[in-house]
Amino acid sequence: MANSKSSRGLNAFVNKHIMPVAAKIGSFKPLIAVRDGIAMAIPLIIVGSLFMIINSFPVAGWSDWLSKTAVHGISLAQILAKITNGSFGIMVLIAAFGIAWSYANQYKTDGVSAGIVSASVFFILTPSIMSGDKVPVEGFPYTYLGSRGLFVAIIFGLLSAWIFQWFINHNIQIKMPATVPPAVAKSFSAYDCANGKCDYHLLCNEPRLSSIM
């Protein structure tokens, strides 16, 4: 009997004090955007993790066999690593797109355009790698496309989407004549906010760019 009263008292406390707070947190737009964006990358994470496990299976001699067995001059270990980098290794790029897409959609604006600009901003902020040749070749490291770049993807995915929806909802956009196809008109409507965001992040990133140059 005492346990029943205690249980009812605990349920009443939870329903009165904790559930309203949990409901507000659950409806918080940035958290919803982060949830949706990371969930969008889950299929790639699952596929990449599977091939990562195969490539590093804890059996004696397995890794050596993968390294020595080649198909058209490329070892199985290299093939599996490439699949991992092309799926699990780009999860942050997908998350950057998905977070901005979800956040912009919550404000009734074009989520696809916001996601594309967010992915562009992520590339702008990510440091490049340069070869040591006389004419250096610029490359993009997989390192920051994995879990190491997730925090940056979340922060600037949300920031990019907020700036995007602010421009659109304040009617700061290029309007095309009615004869222009909707897909083209939609692209131009996102031009102003995309240009403003890229310029802003480029200025914030100027010290890194100067050190590379």
Side-chain angles (χ1 to χ4, degrees), residues 2-203:
N3 289 337
S4 178
K5 289 183 178 179
S6 175
S7 177
R8 286 198 298 268
L10 178 61
N11 288 336
F13 175 82
V14 170
N15 290 330
K16 182 178 180 180
H17 297 286
I18 297 179
M19 290 302 294
V21 177
K24 289 182 180 180
I25 294 175
S27 61
F28 190 47
K29 286 184 173 66
L31 291 182
I32 294 174
V34 172
R35 179 201 67 192
D36 293 345
I38 294 178
M40 188 178 286
I42 286 178
L44 289 179
I45 295 173
I46 294 173
V47 172
S49 300
L50 176 63
F51 284 96
M52 181 184 292
I53 292 171
I54 295 173
N55 200 17
S56 57
F57 202 70
V59 174
W62 176 255
S63 297
D64 292 337
W65 181 80
L66 290 177
S67 300
K68 293 176 182 178
T69 305
V71 178
H72 299 293
I74 303 175
S75 69
L76 293 179
Q78 290 176 309
I79 295 174
L80 292 172
K82 187 67 175 177
I83 295 173
T84 301
N85 287 334
S87 52
F88 184 82
I90 63 168
M91 59 169 289
V92 166
L93 186 60
I94 305 301
F97 175 91
I99 290 169
W101 168 81
S102 175
Y103 200 39
N105 279 339
Q106 292 179 68
Y107 284 97
K108 310 299 181 184
T109 54
D110 182 20
V112 174
S113 296
I116 291 172
V117 175
S118 175
S120 173
V121 168
F122 181 80
F123 275 108
I124 291 172
L125 292 173
T126 303
S128 301
I129 53 177
M130 309 296 289
S131 68
D133 302 331
K134 287 186 177 181
V135 181
V137 178
E138 184 176 7
F140 195 86
Y142 276 113
T143 306
Y144 299 106
L145 291 176
S147 57
R148 285 186 62 180
L150 186 58
F151 183 75
V152 174
I154 291 173
I155 296 299
F156 287 96
L158 293 173
L159 180 60
S160 296
W162 185 87
I163 296 174
F164 181 92
Q165 66 82 24
W166 187 89
F167 272 83
I168 299 299
N169 288 327
H170 285 77
N171 205 27
I172 305 174
Q173 54 185 308
I174 298 175
K175 293 184 177 180
M176 304 299 290
T179 55
V180 175
V184 177
K186 185 181 291 187
S187 299
F188 274 92
S189 69
Y191 171 78
D192 282 342
C193 47
N195 188 45
K197 281 193 289 184
C198 288
D199 288 345
Y200 169 76
H201 293 304
L202 186 62
L203 289 174

